[in-house]
Amino acid sequence: MEFFRIKKDIPFMRHALIFNVISMITFVVAVVSLATKGLHLGVDFTGGTVMEVSYSQPADLNKIRDAMAKLGFTEASVQNFGTTKDVLIRLPVKQGVTSAKLSEQVLGELKGIDGSVNLKRTEFVGPQVGKELLEGGAMALLFVSLGIVFYLWLRFEWKFGVSAIIANLHDVVIILGFFSLFQWEFSLPVLAAVLAILGYSVNESVVVMDRVRENFRNRRFRATPVPQVIDNAITATMSRTIITHGCTQLMVCSMLIFGGETLHYFALALTIGICFGIYSSVFVGSPLLMWLGLRREDLTRVERKAADAVV
């Protein structure tokens, strides 16, 4: 399905070097920020106490944060959970204080503000569990990346696999760089968003690469230089890209605006990832194919090997 069709190819590869320099600068800034400032890990990873409380009327989050500050939790996460009457409080580990005692202190402080508050649940995440979650998330990211390279290597050609994984890891590092630079809370939902974006970005890269391969098979492009073949592939998929990413971004924006604090950073990570996913497929992955020396013979050789294997 297409809303429009661009008749004249857009010369993306002509400006590839400029955009890759911008990408490199952004990538270096993200890496430096990650190395120096690190990520502001949430309770899911560092360990701590999670409390869910409810009120008879909409809760005043600012007063609850002030109450947590009085108890020494200046970095406590306080956000609505489901409705404006339900509040989720995340507290870091406090040495010498058990989770049960801590919940009693918090509930007592909250009752001093509003006697209608009720404790619905309390959960404790130990530091060891948080460490295991962080290591598990890192391993998941690694294995997903290796799986992507292996699939693209078999499905297309090794140059496609290398360029795609570099472009997709570029997106992941940029997202992590944003969270490190601005010290936004990095939690399990954000990690899920990063993994989702990795797969989403791969899908966009595969669509462009598949069109590149089709162009090389087309006799009309037999004498066409590689940069122009790639330009045509990207231009031909522009309508599909706008429809797919536009619809996805509408849904993500609704979560970002109306989802409250619970979904805020999850939706924010998806928004950054979608924008950079389009960018990397066009200005990072595609130029890398050109600079790695992709030729028509590379794909015909792969097809001959596949045909011989079938025979």
Side-chain angles (χ1 to χ4, degrees), residues 64-74 76 78 89 91 106 110:
I64 298 175
R65 292 190 182 100
D66 292 339
M68 296 303 101
K70 290 180 182 179
L71 294 174
F73 297 105
T74 55
V78 179
I89 304 173
L91 304 171
V106 171
L110 294 179

Side-chain angles (χ1 to χ4, degrees), residues 224-243:
T224 305
V226 172
Q228 295 180 20
V229 172
I230 297 175
D231 286 338
N232 178 268
I234 298 172
T235 304
T237 58
M238 284 289 290
S239 178
R240 175 260 173 203
T241 298
I242 292 173
I243 294 171

Side-chain angles (χ1 to χ4, degrees), residues 73-278:
F73 297 105
T74 55
E75 296 184 357
S77 173
V78 179
Q79 57 193 38
N80 287 117
F81 185 71
T83 67
T84 57
K85 297 180 181 180
D86 297 316
V87 178
L88 192 68
I89 304 173
R90 299 173 184 266
L91 304 171
V93 175
K94 190 173 184 179
Q95 296 297 330
V97 181
T98 63
S99 178
K101 186 173 181 61
L102 181 60
S103 61
E104 291 178 5
Q105 292 177 358
V106 171
L107 190 60
E109 190 70 27
L110 294 179
K111 281 186 177 293
I113 301 173
D114 189 337
S116 67
V117 63
N118 290 313
L119 179 63
K120 298 180 69 174
R121 67 181 175 95
T122 302
E123 295 179 0
F124 176 73
V125 180
Q128 182 61 34
V129 176
K131 181 180 179 181
E132 291 176 359
L133 287 173
L134 183 61
E135 292 176 352
M139 291 299 295
L141 193 60
L142 175 62
F143 283 121
V144 167
S145 302
L146 293 176
I148 291 169
V149 173
F150 184 69
Y151 165 75
L152 291 176
W153 195 321
L154 292 179
R155 188 71 177 83
F156 295 96
E157 207 259 346
W158 71 267
K159 295 173 185 176
F160 287 92
V162 171
S163 60
I165 199 58
I166 291 176
N168 295 324
L169 289 180
H170 163 273
D171 299 340
V172 171
V173 172
I174 294 299
I175 295 174
L176 296 179
F178 269 96
F179 275 80
S180 173
L181 190 63
F182 298 104
Q183 287 296 287
W184 295 332
E185 183 182 9
F186 189 85
S187 59
L188 278 176
V190 175
L191 176 60
V194 172
L195 292 174
I197 285 300
L198 186 57
Y200 195 81
S201 183
V202 168
N203 178 65
E204 180 65 25
S205 299
V206 168
V207 168
V208 174
M209 291 177 180
D210 189 60
R211 184 56 65 97
V212 171
R213 182 175 59 178
E214 289 181 6
N215 284 352
F216 276 129
R217 292 173 176 174
N218 194 327
R219 293 182 179 180
R220 184 165 65 92
F221 296 98
R222 193 171 295 277
T224 305
V226 172
Q228 295 180 20
V229 172
I230 297 175
D231 286 338
N232 178 268
I234 298 172
T235 304
T237 58
M238 284 289 290
S239 178
R240 175 260 173 203
T241 298
I242 292 173
I243 294 171
T244 303
H245 292 272
C247 292
T248 306
Q249 190 57 52
L250 283 175
M251 178 270 295
V252 173
C253 283
S254 66
M255 287 194 297
L256 187 63
I257 297 171
F258 304 109
E261 294 186 34
T262 305
L263 296 176
H264 179 74
Y265 289 123
F266 172 77
L268 191 59
L270 287 176
T271 298
I272 297 170
I274 289 172
C275 293
F276 276 93
I278 302 172

Side-chain angles (χ1 to χ4, degrees), residues 19-39:
F19 283 100
N20 271 264
V21 170
I22 296 173
S23 295
M24 183 60 66
I25 294 172
T26 309
F27 185 87
V28 170
V29 170
V31 171
V32 170
S33 179
L34 286 168
T36 55
K37 301 175 67 174
L39 291 170

